[in-house]
Amino acid sequence: MTTIAVLGNGRVGGNLATALTRAGHEVTVADRTPGAAADAARTARIVINATPGAGSLERLAALREDLRGRILVDVSNATVDGPDGLPADLIYPGSSLAEQLQEALPETRVVKTLNTMLFPVMTAPAMLTRAPDAFLSGEDPQAKQAVHDLLIDLGWRKEWITDLGGIRTARATEAAILFVPHVIRSGGFAPFAISVAR
């Protein structure tokens, strides 16, 4: 059992919180009330960033002291949305939200994952007809192992989880968000994930 704080109570955060609670973890969800995120982060071993990516850096940088020593799991994508509300461009081209967070929070261990799929797949990967991939990016091996274990609790098989290396590799998985609007326009809003055929 791990104490987990989920920052963000939308579809992504709510889905993750429900599934992690069901898996036996102690989960707190921080809403937008003043001080809620700081209180939740302070009492958790692992903090999940499920806030909208465009404002994540500012929000989390303000929690620097509360996130000291924590594992921060970043599942967000920082994008500029087009007129239809779907991602049109990256906010940090040549970088990534995860890298920006790690730079702003040097005493927090940032791990990027679960950002290459529609949110229902995050907690039910077996729903797809083909095996999906969950990618891990981060500098700290122990933090990545802890996140790997959480993914197993969410139904991910070991062979579906790929450690890409350091936090810089997150710029590749974050860029994959640019596939999303085209896939949705082509096939509708059905669950899917980016995967590597081997």
Side-chain angles (χ1 to χ4, degrees):
M1 191 271 289
T2 302
T3 53
I4 300 170
V6 179
L7 308 184
N9 60 351
R11 292 182 299 184
V12 173
N15 187 38
L16 287 168
T18 298
L20 290 167
T21 299
R22 195 182 302 127
H25 297 287
E26 184 181 322
V27 181
T28 303
V29 179
D31 58 23
R32 289 179 174 269
T33 58
D39 291 342
R42 223 176 279 129
T43 58
R45 176 177 175 242
I46 296 176
V47 178
I48 298 175
N49 174 38
T51 65
S56 288
L57 182 58
E58 183 180 357
R59 258 187 218 106
L60 273 69
L63 301 175
R64 182 171 172 162
E65 291 304 312
D66 304 297
L67 291 169
R68 185 191 302 270
R70 306 294 189 270
I71 297 170
L72 177 63
V73 183
D74 179 32
V75 304
S76 294
N77 288 301
T79 60
V80 177
D81 291 340
D84 57 1
L86 295 174
D89 211 345
L90 302 174
I91 290 178
Y92 305 109
S95 183
S96 65
L97 174 58
E99 289 172 88
Q100 297 295 314
L101 288 170
Q102 187 61 87
E103 185 176 341
L105 304 165
E107 295 178 79
T108 301
R109 295 173 290 166
V110 178
V111 179
K112 188 81 181 190
T113 194
L114 295 180
N115 64 308
T116 54
M117 62 203 68
L118 289 190
F119 76 93
V121 182
M122 294 178 175
T123 58
M127 74 191 310
L128 300 179
T129 56
R130 297 178 190 167
D133 283 298
F135 303 102
L136 297 173
S137 300
E139 298 300 324
D140 188 285
Q142 289 180 322
K144 284 195 282 189
Q145 183 60 52
V147 176
H148 179 281
D149 294 345
L150 278 190
L151 294 179
I152 297 293
D153 288 346
L154 291 173
W156 290 86
R157 297 181 189 170
K158 283 191 294 185
E159 61 269 25
W160 297 350
I161 303 170
T162 302
D163 184 345
L164 295 179
I167 200 69
R168 185 183 170 96
T169 63
R171 63 182 62 181
T173 60
E174 288 191 27
I177 191 68
L178 299 180
F179 275 103
V180 171
H182 308 299
V183 173
I184 290 174
R185 290 184 194 113
S186 172
F189 198 83
F192 71 89
I194 304 294
S195 62
V196 177
R198 294 181 177 88

